[in-house]
Amino acid sequence: MQERVQKVLAARGLGSRREIEGWIERGEVQINQHTAGLGDRVGPDDVIRVRGRVVTRPEYPHRWIAYHKPVGEICSRSDPEGRRPVFASLPKLKGQRWVAVGRLDLNTSGLLLFTTDGELANALMHPAGAMEREYAVRVLGEVPEETRRMLLEGVELEDGPARFDALEAGGGDGANQWYHVIVSEGRNRLVRRLWDAVGVTVSRLIRVRYGPVVLGRGLKSGAARDLEVGEVAALYREAGLNVPENLQPPEKRRGTRPKKKKGGAARGRDKGEGWSSSRPGAGAKTAKSAKSGKPGARRGRGARSGRGRPGR
């Protein structure tokens, strides 16, 4: 059976489909001594080279992790301004590389997913999948009912109309009010731009769920954890891919929390975060967090349990 070369390389954990397509366009991929094109297919007997090195079949099983991104880290592998990349905090790999599932901007914290399976990452980010992303948002002041209605019905942005699939109040004290929103698009800074379009100032933005995976209470800021078997299987089903055979529970690994910098304080959970989850893909807001107005991941309108209605 032959498959497109970019799909094969992504499945082998070498990068995301989009990244590999860039390699092909730059002539960095060869098939049997010939420069590969985007439409080229390969079979089991074909020899693939990337930048002159022969690509072998993966020697290591794929991995899938959740990372609690703190404010101030960037979602690039390097930065000319010297800001810390999220990849510096992830577990080290041998013979593979981490592929990020989506991005969060510099001032947004919360859940980021990473995998060595580039094909899965591509499917999870593809616009056709309309994967739900849920955010806890702290804004300044009460939001009138009419403004909330506008955000649910649709607001015109510079790159076209957009809306929240769900918007629920989460409580708060004084000028700070929390809301939970769900979107099903991956447009750049979409959540912040929607609030800004209706004149509401966002002071905190935290992603608490991506598809069936929730951030959860126990994952501290700047730390990563291996996904459980049920979470991994749910991701493949949501992406429309076959669940890998013989999934094994994650090995007990030493913590991946980065070392405290000399003279600085260790990073803990962001103030105001109170996450909980009852099962993969379904967050439950605790009585304590509901009383205090602190954010907690929960099922919003349109949240999926299987392949139901999509949303970002």
Side-chain angles (χ1 to χ4, degrees), residues 61-74:
H62 283 308
R63 285 183 65 185
W64 312 264
I65 63 172
Y67 175 62
H68 188 163
K69 175 193 173 297
V71 170
E73 289 188 352
I74 63 169

Side-chain angles (χ1 to χ4, degrees), residues 21-30 35-36 49-52:
E21 287 174 351
W23 300 348
I24 295 173
E25 290 173 346
R26 293 192 295 270
E28 298 175 358
V29 179
Q30 292 81 38
T35 301
R49 289 179 172 82
V50 176
R51 305 183 191 96

Side-chain angles (χ1 to χ4, degrees), residues 10 16 100 118 136 138 158 228-229 260 263 268 284-285 299:
S16 68
R138 189 179 71 186
E158 62 271 19
E228 299 295 334
V229 169
K260 182 173 67 174
K285 189 172 184 180
R299 302 286 291 192

Side-chain angles (χ1 to χ4, degrees), residues 24-67:
I24 295 173
E25 290 173 346
R26 293 192 295 270
E28 298 175 358
V29 179
Q30 292 81 38
I31 303 172
N32 301 329
Q33 304 298 328
H34 299 287
T35 301
L38 287 176
D40 290 351
R41 294 175 176 270
V42 294
D45 298 326
D46 289 311
V47 177
I48 308 172
R49 289 179 172 82
V50 176
R51 305 183 191 96
R53 298 184 62 179
V54 176
V55 176
T56 60
R57 293 194 175 275
E59 300 176 7
Y60 307 96
H62 283 308
R63 285 183 65 185
W64 312 264
I65 63 172
Y67 175 62

Side-chain angles (χ1 to χ4, degrees), residues 103-105 125 127 131 133 135 154-164 183-194 207 312:
R103 303 168 68 90
L104 292 175
D105 65 47
M125 292 185 288
M131 191 68 63
R133 291 90 153 170
Y135 295 80
V155 176
E156 190 66 35
L157 302 178
E158 62 271 19
D159 54 353
R163 68 181 183 88
F164 291 136
V183 289
S184 56
E185 293 185 71
R187 277 191 266 175
N188 186 42
R189 297 173 60 85
L190 180 60
V191 174
R192 291 184 185 274
R193 289 194 292 136
L194 275 169
R207 183 153 70 195
R312 177 192 170 210

